[in-house]
């Protein structure tokens, strides 16, 4: 089995519609794909309706979190992402927090556009809104605007201290969940919680391993190990840490369509790990074949 547990559609910041994503996943030879748009489940229905025979869909979301600063030297804390799988999307506490994060996206993006304009970049809100389309606007849409304007060569090059990387000159904080609260909410909604790309240093500051241990004690199920932003030594380090803490280890593409260079199925999850994720979940079922509902 080929299993990719981290992908994005136009419901957040990918370039494939949910229907295109599942069709492309089947064409790429995947057996299982998880749709994990940022802080939203808006793409699940369309993905389920278009699900090809032979492909199983795991419903999920990637939750925006921030670890509070431990002291003045920590600045505004550390931003991190939590992959939530097979939770009940109607569970009220988690649904309310997702809505708060989504509602903050547009004001944040507008402020980022204003900061870029102050830095002399001729970006406009209309340009960013056009790029976002019907999706929940976010930093990748602002980054794409910078690419269109020739300010940076690629989307990844926009995510730096010079531009819109965490703490960058044009970055603006958004509403984010405390990661310990996020784990509690995901588990309370019957889901499985996996720390996304926890040591992706190119994205900015990462939480220390001691925090990963604390999250494991609080109910975290796993860590995403095989990811394009982790080099071989980092993956080995994470595998050792996961073994020590009793955490599951996953692999996935973090596919965003044409917005990033990663390919569907570029990294995959071991079938036994996937089976354990399914076993632990009580909020939703994976959906095989065509049609059906992911909710229990």
């Amino acid at each position: 089995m080929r299993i990719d547990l981290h992908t994005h559609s136009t419901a957040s910041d990918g370039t494939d519609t949910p229907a295109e994503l599942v069709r492309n996943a089947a064409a790429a030879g995947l057996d299982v794909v998880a749709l994990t748009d940022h802080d939203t489940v808006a793409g699940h229905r369309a993905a389920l309706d278009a699900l090809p025979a032979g492909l199983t869909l795991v419903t999920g979301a990637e939750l925006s979190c921030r670890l509070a600063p431990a002291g003045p030297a920590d600045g505004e804390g550390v931003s991190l992402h939590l992959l939530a799988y097979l939770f009940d999307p109607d569970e009220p506490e988690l649904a309310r927090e997702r809505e708060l994060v989504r509602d903050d996206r547009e004001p944040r993006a507008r402020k980022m556009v204003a900061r870029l304009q102050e830095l002399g970049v001729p970006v406009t809100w209309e340009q960013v809104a056009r790029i976002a389309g019907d999706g929940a606007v976010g930093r990748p849409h602002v980054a794409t605007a910078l690419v269109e304007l020739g300010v940076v060569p690629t989307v990844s090059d926009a995510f730096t201290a010079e531009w819109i990387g965490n703490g960058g000159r044009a970055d603006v904080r958004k509403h984010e969940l405390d990661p310990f609260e996020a784990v509690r909410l995901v588990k309370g909604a019957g889901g499985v919680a996996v720390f996304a790309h926890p040591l992706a240093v190119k994205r900015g500051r990462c939480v220390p391993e001691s925090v990963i241990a604390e999250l494991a004690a609080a109910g975290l199920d796993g860590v995403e190990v095989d990811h394009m932003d982790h080099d071989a030594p980092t993956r080995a380090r994470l595998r050792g840490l996961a073994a020590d803490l009793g955490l599951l280890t996953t692999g996935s593409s973090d596919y965003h369509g044409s917005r990033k260079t990663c390919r569907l199925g570029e990294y995959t999850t071991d079938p036994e790990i996937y089976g354990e994720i399914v076993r632990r979940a009580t909020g939703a079922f994976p959906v095989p074949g065509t049609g059906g509902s992911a909710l229990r």
Side-chain angles (χ1 to χ4, degrees):
M1 293 180 67
R2 298 190 68 230
I3 302 159
D4 188 341
L5 293 182
H6 187 171
T7 71
H8 299 273
S9 76
T10 53
S12 64
D13 57 349
T15 59
D16 293 359
T17 66
E20 290 169 341
L21 188 143
V22 293
R23 288 195 291 265
N24 289 337
L30 290 176
D31 299 290
V32 179
V33 67
L35 180 54
T36 52
D37 280 313
H38 292 283
D39 306 302
T40 184
V41 298
H44 289 177
R45 184 71 266 162
L48 288 165
D49 288 344
L51 195 60
L55 180 70
T56 293
L57 180 69
V58 171
T59 53
E62 186 173 11
L63 304 178
S64 302
C65 303
R66 181 172 293 272
L67 181 70
D74 290 334
E76 295 184 334
V78 182
S79 179
L80 60 140
H81 289 165
L82 189 75
L83 290 162
Y85 299 116
L86 298 173
F87 57 88
D88 177 356
D90 295 323
E91 194 284 319
E93 277 196 276
L94 182 54
R96 182 170 58 250
E97 285 298 329
R98 294 199 314 273
E99 184 175 356
L100 287 172
V101 175
R102 289 197 308 274
D103 287 350
D104 198 37
R105 283 185 174 274
E106 181 174 326
R108 180 201 192 198
R110 286 183 179 273
K111 291 175 184 176
M112 292 172 72
V113 167
R115 288 194 181 182
L116 287 166
Q117 290 172 343
E118 292 170 0
L119 293 169
V121 178
V123 63
T124 65
W125 171 250
E126 289 73 22
Q127 180 188 12
V128 172
R130 170 183 57 79
I131 293 167
D134 294 329
V137 67
R139 279 193 300 176
H141 302 121
V142 179
T144 301
L146 295 180
V147 174
E148 286 187 353
L149 293 167
V151 175
V152 293
T154 70
V155 166
S156 295
D157 290 313
F159 285 85
T160 65
E162 185 176 5
W163 299 114
I164 60 171
N166 293 333
R169 294 189 301 165
D171 186 32
V172 176
R173 278 197 62 179
K174 64 179 177 181
H175 176 79
E176 293 168 301
L177 283 162
D178 172 83
F180 293 91
E181 176 68 358
V183 169
R184 184 189 72 79
L185 290 172
V186 172
K187 305 292 282 188
V192 176
V194 173
F195 194 157
H197 40 72
L199 298 183
V201 293
K202 65 176 68 176
R203 294 171 177 245
R205 291 178 60 206
C206 298
V207 302
E209 292 182 6
S210 59
V211 171
I212 299 177
E214 291 171 7
L215 286 167
L220 181 72
D221 292 284
V223 288
E224 188 178 49
V225 172
D226 294 314
H227 184 279
M228 66 181 297
D229 289 342
H230 290 158
D231 58 19
T234 299
R235 292 174 200 164
R237 176 180 164 193
L238 274 172
R239 288 190 196 283
L241 179 64
D244 291 342
L245 298 175
L247 293 172
L248 305 176
T249 57
T250 67
S252 47
S253 64
D254 199 356
Y255 176 75
H256 282 71
S258 62
R259 190 155 280 132
K260 291 187 178 182
T261 58
C262 49
R263 305 179 310 276
L264 280 164
E266 186 167 346
Y267 298 101
T268 57
T269 295
D270 184 277
E272 290 188 7
I273 298 292
Y274 168 65
E276 180 61 19
I277 289 172
V278 173
R279 188 191 69 77
R280 294 185 186 189
T282 60
F285 286 118
V287 181
T290 57
S293 172
L295 301 185
R296 288 185 175 177

